[in-house]
Structure formats: C-alpha cells, structure tokens
C-alpha cells in the first residue's frame, strides 16, 4: 500500500482500477470516438498515446502526468460527464491545466456525474501506480494504491 497527498480540484471519494499513462493526455483525441460515435466503453482514440490507445477509460482511475493539446479539453471533460462516459476519477502527477480543471469543476456543479480530480501527486505517484491497481481516493485529496 502506498499513499500520496495531492491537491483536491474536484472533491469526492471513489475506488477504481487504475489506467496509467506516462505521456500527456490529449483530451479531444482520447474522447472523440466516445462522444461523437457512441462508444459507451469510451476506448481511448489517441493513437499517439501508446499507454492508453484503444483501452476503455469509463469508470477507471485515470492516472496521468498532465493534459495536452486542444483548448476544447474542458468542454470535452464536461461533455463526457454529462453523457455518463467519464473516468471514475482523474489523478495527475503534475498540476492540472486550467481548461481541464474548468471542465471537471463545471461537470461537478452542472451534472449528476461525479468525477473526483486530484493533481500535484508527484512523479513518485506515477512511477508507483500500475494498470489494474486498486485506487482509493479520499475527500481530502489523499490517493491510496491498495
């Protein structure tokens, strides 16, 4: 068991299996197929992210360094949550970018979907967590790899 303390961007608790990327997360490319073509498993569509490509992202603890790419990132996260196609939580080793943060916060306020978001977990977190690890997120931004 390993415990990490980050900054709580969107409060909440959950337990989920980890899906880990060591590269930047292109929000638009990753969610495009799920949002435009009805992929309910929300398989990652970003061909440039070998860690995530074609892996289901719905209901997982998405563990990332940071988001990259499009200025639509916030709207994409909000839309994924409004459609019920979001990860269980998003966990960032680095600070979340303002656009992604705004989408996650708006989704928390305007939708019934809950997606806790914690950032600033550190490189140690991303090195420790592996695909399939059970993750627990606490209300205060503590993330535990069980």
């Amino acid at each position: 068991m390993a415990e990490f303390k980050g900054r709580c961007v969107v409060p909440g608790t959950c337990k989920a299996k980890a899906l880990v990327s060591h590269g930047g997360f292109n929000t638009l490319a990753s969610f495009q197929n799920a949002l435009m073509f009805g992929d309910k498993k929300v398989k990652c569509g970003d061909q440039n992210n070998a860690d995530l490509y074609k892996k289901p992202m719905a209901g997982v603890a998405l563990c990332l360094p940071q988001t990259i790419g499009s200025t639509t990132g916030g709207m994409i996260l909000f839309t994924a949550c409004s459609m019920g196609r979001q990860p269980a939580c998003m966990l960032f080793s680095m600070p979340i970018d303002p656009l992604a943060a705004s989408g996650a916060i708006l989704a928390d306020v305007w939708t019934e979907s809950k997606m806790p978001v914690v950032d600033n977990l550190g490189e140690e977190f991303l090195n420790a967590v592996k695909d399939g690890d059970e993750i627990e997120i606490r209300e205060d931004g503590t993330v535990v790899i069980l």
Side-chain angles (χ1 to χ4, degrees):
M1 183 167 85
E3 191 171 298
F4 300 88
K5 178 74 168 134
R7 177 179 65 162
C8 186
V9 177
V10 176
T13 62
C14 75
K15 281 188 181 178
K17 294 208 180 285
L19 180 60
V20 182
S21 175
H22 294 279
F25 183 74
N26 185 319
T27 311
L28 177 59
S30 297
F31 280 99
Q32 186 173 6
N33 287 337
L35 302 182
M36 290 180 64
F37 304 113
D39 173 16
K40 292 183 182 177
K41 291 185 180 182
V42 192
K43 292 182 198 146
C44 179
D46 184 1
Q47 298 176 23
N48 295 316
N49 191 323
D51 294 331
L52 300 180
Y53 185 55
K54 292 191 177 181
K55 292 182 182 175
M57 299 183 298
V60 302
L62 197 53
C63 305
L64 315 159
Q66 63 187 11
T67 56
I68 59 171
S70 177
T71 57
T72 63
M75 185 49 88
I76 297 297
L77 289 178
F78 169 76
T79 302
C81 289
S82 69
M83 295 174 76
R85 295 187 180 158
Q86 76 280 3
C89 62
M90 293 184 81
L91 307 172
F92 295 89
S93 64
M94 299 170 69
I96 190 171
D97 73 271
L99 294 172
S102 67
I105 292 166
L106 289 174
D108 186 55
V109 173
W110 289 348
T111 73
E112 298 298 316
S113 298
K114 295 301 170 197
M115 182 181 71
V117 177
V118 179
D119 74 349
N120 287 330
L121 288 163
E123 191 64 28
E124 300 81 22
F125 165 72
L126 212 52
N127 290 331
V129 68
K130 306 290 181 242
D131 281 351
D133 285 350
E134 189 75 19
I135 303 285
E136 178 183 9
I137 293 87
R138 298 181 184 150
E139 193 80 32
D140 68 351
T142 300
V143 175
V144 182
I145 303 171
L146 302 173

